[in-house]
Amino acid sequence: MPAGQVMALIGPSGAGKSTLIRCVNRLVEPTKGTIQLKELELTRLSKRQLRIARRRIGMIFQEFALVDRLSVMENVLSGQLGYVGFWPSWFRRFPAPVVNRAFELLERVGIADQMDKRADQLSGGQRQRVGIARALLQDPEILLVDEPTASLDPKTSRSVMRILIELADEHGLAAIINIHDVALAKQFVERIVGLRDGLVVFDGTPDELTEEVLTEIYGEEDWSLTKKRPKEGDEHDEDDDDEHDAEAVAAAARTDRAVTRGAPAERP
Amino acid sequence: MSTATDRIKPVWRPKPSIRNPLLRYGLVIGTIGYLYLAFATIDVNWGRVVQGMERAQFLFAGFLRPDFVSRWQFIQSGILESITMTIVATVLGVALSIPFAFGAARNIAPLPVYLFCRAVIAVSRSLQEIVIAIIFVVMVGFGPLAGVLTLAFASIGFLGKLLAEDIEDIDPRQLEAIRSTGGSWFQSMSFGVVPQIMPRFVGLSVYRLDINFRESAVIGIVGAGGIGGALNTSIARYEFGITAAIILVIVALVYAGEYASGVIRAKVQ
Ligand SMILES: Nc1ncnc2c1ncn2[C@@H]1O[C@H](COP(=O)(O)OP(=O)(O)O)[C@@H](O)[C@H]1O
Ligand SMILES: [Mg+2]
């Protein structure tokens, strides 16, 4: 990935999107292959070196993964743990410039007034903004974002995505964003990679992501279950509704068959 | 139609939990027979029961007139010693139980550390306080030091086990998020684990304080200091008024502790 590029990673559940981005900061150990961050080969680092390298990789989670019982400010400041010693962090004595920057970030994402609330008192959208601020306080070079909007309503999803993309641009950050909502991905990113069964099956711009490609990424597996292809003109929503559609078709096919099988028995 | 409904009047009964009737009734008869034989082996000496009843009368008479005054110095010093023992032992036990709790949580400790900590906790939990007290009295002599060591050691097993289970139940995503920022192991614990277990930690510690106070009254009987010694002496001398006074003081203090711990636990939720 070139520096500063924002890339969406799409694919059905279980395709390996989360596994892939967890391999980058080695929350999951890859069994083979190498991962490189600029000059640094992440897959060869010792535990200690990995800890240092993780400071350069910000991560944002689907369920926000905030520490519920800590305040919003403490959650954001935890982004600096890689730079601060144990005792200062235990007594919450972070350097003044860091605290100022945390405050600026909270203002930037629009929740500075919630600073001293406990994280579990916020709404979903607010919690994800805290998650974004925490990742950015790390001063990362790349953001790993795992389904940032999957637990949010459509409007909040959009505003969270917008903030995320804007901040990545402002700081010149590269980002890998796992996302289910293909329409949202197309709207916000410059490059899309499609994964299926752990393999890259598409890599291109949002414009190149056509219906056929989408069917290849999301559909094949499910259509083949029904042993018959849907009509050519069939339209599909460009999001994870596809999976439900596939299930509906499969179910319909099953009842079809049951009816035809049942019919001869009633004839005599 | 009507004949069918008249003839078949189904009577519903709950299904017996043991199907085989032979086994079912056999078990009932066997149990009764065993209980009869077991009671038959208890050799009741009715003469002694009557004597005991007389003593029980003295005891209850004593309860009607608890004597706080004649040996108040004695009671007071015993109670103060118990309280001191309780507090020192709880602080010591809580402090020592923390590393054992983290070590005994499978989700954060490496296997050898886990096995070691679980072993220590298992030993502490398998020995009753009286047994531990006897061992420490032999090791360090009579007095409150043995009592403090006893209660601290018992607290490690109690708190270590319950806290370790709480650590194993934390939300792993919160811990993972902290680890992904590049925080050290200790920082991951202090930001990712401690906030999640804090309420239970405080609750359990306060509860253990309560238990330790009650136990301090018991282990005194084997010479490990505290009010238990005074209690034992008063009974041995048939000074049941004083016995009653001591028991009432213990009850009052346990109640006070109960109330205080309720207030504290409500605060940290
Ligand atoms: N490349 C791979 N090799 C082996 N197992 C994989 C691979 N990718 C994914 N998996 C396994 O597939 C499962 C689902 O992967 P996950 O990353 O959670 O999917 P997604 O986030 O796309 O829904 C996981 O149990 C993971 O271990
Ligand atoms: Mg996933």
Side-chain angles (χ1 to χ4, degrees), chain A residues 14 17-19 62 146-147 178:
Chain A
K17 305 184 296 294
S18 304
T19 309
Q62 171 182 352
D146 198 356
E147 299 191 17
N178 283 355

Side-chain angles (χ1 to χ4, degrees), chain A residues 80-259:
Chain A
Q80 274 279 318
L81 286 179
Y83 302 91
V84 177
F86 174 75
W87 289 112
S89 74
W90 177 260
F91 292 110
R92 308 294 191 260
R93 292 275 176 270
F94 288 84
V98 168
V99 178
N100 286 339
R101 204 168 129 54
F103 187 71
E104 280 166 25
L105 279 166
L106 280 174
E107 247 173 6
R108 177 66 185 81
V109 298
I111 48 169
D113 52 331
Q114 313 285 328
M115 188 166 65
D116 289 321
K117 275 202 183 156
R118 236 169 67 170
D120 54 4
Q121 293 177 329
L122 303 190
S123 71
Q126 291 173 325
R127 285 161 70 83
Q128 194 56 293
R129 285 155 207 259
V130 178
I132 293 171
R134 172 175 67 186
L136 283 169
L137 194 71
Q138 269 177 253
D139 257 328
E141 291 157 39
I142 182 169
L143 287 177
L144 306 174
V145 192
D146 198 356
E147 299 191 17
T149 61
S151 318
L152 303 175
D153 67 67
K155 181 166 174 287
T156 315
S157 293
R158 230 146 272 266
S159 64
V160 163
M161 268 305 266
R162 179 163 299 118
I163 285 180
L164 194 56
I165 302 290
E166 280 173 10
L167 280 168
D169 282 348
E170 280 168 30
H171 295 83
L173 294 178
I176 304 178
I177 307 180
N178 283 355
I179 188 158
H180 257 316
D181 188 335
V182 179
L184 205 57
K186 278 178 131 175
Q187 184 183 342
F188 283 106
V189 307
E190 47 200 296
R191 176 179 170 198
I192 295 182
V193 169
L195 271 193
R196 211 186 79 205
D197 295 338
L199 296 174
V200 174
V201 293
F202 172 79
D203 186 350
T205 63
D207 294 334
E208 290 164 9
L209 189 69
T210 58
E211 299 257 320
E212 287 91 76
V213 177
L214 274 178
T215 312
E216 169 158 16
I217 299 171
Y218 282 102
E220 287 290 88
E221 191 79 2
D222 288 312
W223 301 143
S224 65
L225 245 179
T226 69
K227 296 271 191 258
K228 79 179 192 190
R229 298 195 139 268
K231 275 172 275 151
E232 286 304 314
D234 250 356
E235 285 223 33
H236 309 294
D237 285 340
E238 291 172 347
D239 55 25
D240 56 354
D241 279 352
D242 275 8
E243 285 169 29
H244 305 298
D245 287 352
E247 269 167 33
V249 171
R254 260 179 259 124
T255 32
D256 264 347
R257 232 175 292 147
V259 169

Side-chain angles (χ1 to χ4, degrees), chain A residues 22 27 51 54 61 63 65-70 78 81-82 84-86 89-90 92 134, chain B residues 173-174 176-184 186-187 190-192 194-196 199 268-269:
Chain A
R22 271 151 198 276
L27 285 176
R51 198 167 89 61
R54 275 182 178 160
F61 302 82
E63 307 277 0
L66 303 183
V67 181
D68 283 338
R69 304 185 139 271
L70 292 184
S78 71
L81 286 179
V84 177
F86 174 75
S89 74
W90 177 260
R92 308 294 191 260
R134 172 175 67 186
Chain B
R173 291 169 304 185
Q174 300 179 27
E176 192 174 58
I178 298 297
R179 282 205 297 143
S180 75
T181 65
S184 66
F186 282 102
Q187 284 173 327
S190 82
F191 275 73
V194 170
Q196 294 196 59
V268 294
Q269 276 318 304

Side-chain angles (χ1 to χ4, degrees), chain B residues 199-208 210 257-269:
Chain B
R200 191 144 161 82
F201 173 70
V202 174
L204 285 174
S205 301
V206 173
Y207 182 42
R208 187 65 217 187
D210 190 63
E258 189 86 5
Y259 176 75
S261 76
V263 171
I264 293 172
R265 271 181 284 184
K267 274 253 161 69
V268 294
Q269 276 318 304

Side-chain angles (χ1 to χ4, degrees), chain B residues 56-76:
Chain B
Q57 270 177 15
F58 283 125
L59 186 61
F60 287 118
F63 272 106
L64 290 179
R65 286 180 293 107
D67 176 4
F68 292 96
V69 189
S70 59
R71 291 197 186 267
W72 178 246
Q73 284 299 317
F74 187 52
I75 298 174
Q76 190 189 32

